[in-house]
Amino acid sequence: SSAKKLFIDFIKVLWPVVGAALFWGIGFTSYNAFMGHLGADATAANSVAAVVRDLLCCFCNGLSTAAGIIIGNELGAGNLEKGKLYGQKILKIGLIASAAIVVIMLALSPVVTHSVKLSKEASRLLFGMMIINSIYMFGRSLNSILINGVFDCGGDTLFDMYSLATCMWGLAVPLAALGTFVFHWPILIVYACTCIDEVGKIPWVLH
């Protein structure tokens, strides 16, 4: 029946989305655990940096949702070529928006560092994390717009799960874990490892 077919199609689309959310959620929990293991200064700096990053991510999520609506409307109406054309245009918009977010993050770095009462070491770590986040946010913004907006609404929900499995769990989490527990790398190097997944996705996503 049509209802059964719709349900099967729904499950096929659903499970990669749920899988990606689980990969992402557990991965970020791991990152926080690594920072907690590295001491109070690292934990405090990471907490502040995460708040700023998450606020900017709200902007990224808004862009990805808008992109998804535009693409979904055209594909749903049967305008496949127009949908592809809009996808290419949204890529250009995404590049510009991501570059703007980098500038905002860099501009906020000294402001946030001097506005929060932290120890001298925690302030130093916070400033470093903000600079690292500026690079991370370029990837995070672009990937959100393309993966969660264009790809998902174009019907490709598997890409997000595969990219998280490879870039986060195959690269970022192992590197951060080794840097924390085995090699005892400097805190900012470990933090950079936790941010490398979004940067690592960029060539794959653009391709």
Side-chain angles (χ1 to χ4, degrees):
S1 66
S2 60
K4 183 178 179 181
K5 186 176 183 300
L6 178 62
F7 179 75
I8 292 171
D9 289 342
F10 178 77
I11 295 300
K12 286 180 180 178
V13 172
L14 175 67
W15 76 262
V17 176
V18 174
L22 286 172
F23 276 138
W24 188 85
I26 298 170
F28 262 84
T29 302
S30 301
Y31 295 160
N32 290 331
F34 298 150
M35 288 296 108
H37 184 80
L38 293 172
D41 288 333
T43 303
N46 179 57
S47 297
V48 177
V51 170
V52 179
R53 182 179 64 195
D54 290 346
L55 286 173
L56 288 176
C57 283
C58 293
F59 179 61
C60 304
N61 294 338
L63 290 172
S64 69
T65 301
I69 292 169
I70 291 171
I71 296 294
N73 278 341
E74 295 304 325
L75 297 182
N79 303 323
L80 302 186
E81 291 304 317
K82 195 173 184 180
K84 290 179 183 178
L85 177 63
Y86 281 2
Q88 293 166 0
K89 289 183 176 181
I90 287 170
L91 166 60
K92 295 176 183 178
I93 293 171
L95 289 169
I96 295 170
S98 300
I101 287 175
V102 171
V103 173
I104 294 170
M105 180 64 83
L106 289 172
L108 287 174
S109 297
V111 177
V112 172
T113 303
H114 290 97
S115 299
V116 182
K117 284 189 176 181
L118 295 171
S119 67
K120 187 176 180 180
E121 176 62 12
S123 294
R124 182 188 72 83
L125 292 173
L126 174 58
F127 185 77
M129 288 177 179
M130 293 288 288
I131 299 301
I132 293 168
N133 264 324
S134 67
I135 301 169
Y136 167 87
M137 283 305 302
F138 181 85
R140 176 69 181 272
S141 174
L142 185 62
N143 294 333
S144 293
I145 293 168
L146 295 180
I147 296 175
N148 299 329
V150 178
F151 295 174
D152 279 0
C153 292
D156 185 1
T157 56
L158 279 169
F159 186 92
D160 193 12
M161 190 179 71
Y162 288 153
S163 65
L164 280 167
T166 53
C167 293
M168 176 179 272
W169 285 96
L171 183 64
V173 172
L175 277 176
L178 287 171
T180 301
F181 300 110
V182 179
F183 300 117
H184 306 292
W185 289 338
I187 293 170
L188 290 178
I189 299 297
V190 174
Y191 186 79
C193 290
T194 67
C195 297
I196 201 171
D197 58 316
E198 293 293 346
V199 178
K201 287 181 191 177
I202 294 175
W204 192 13
V205 169
L206 291 178
H207 175 70

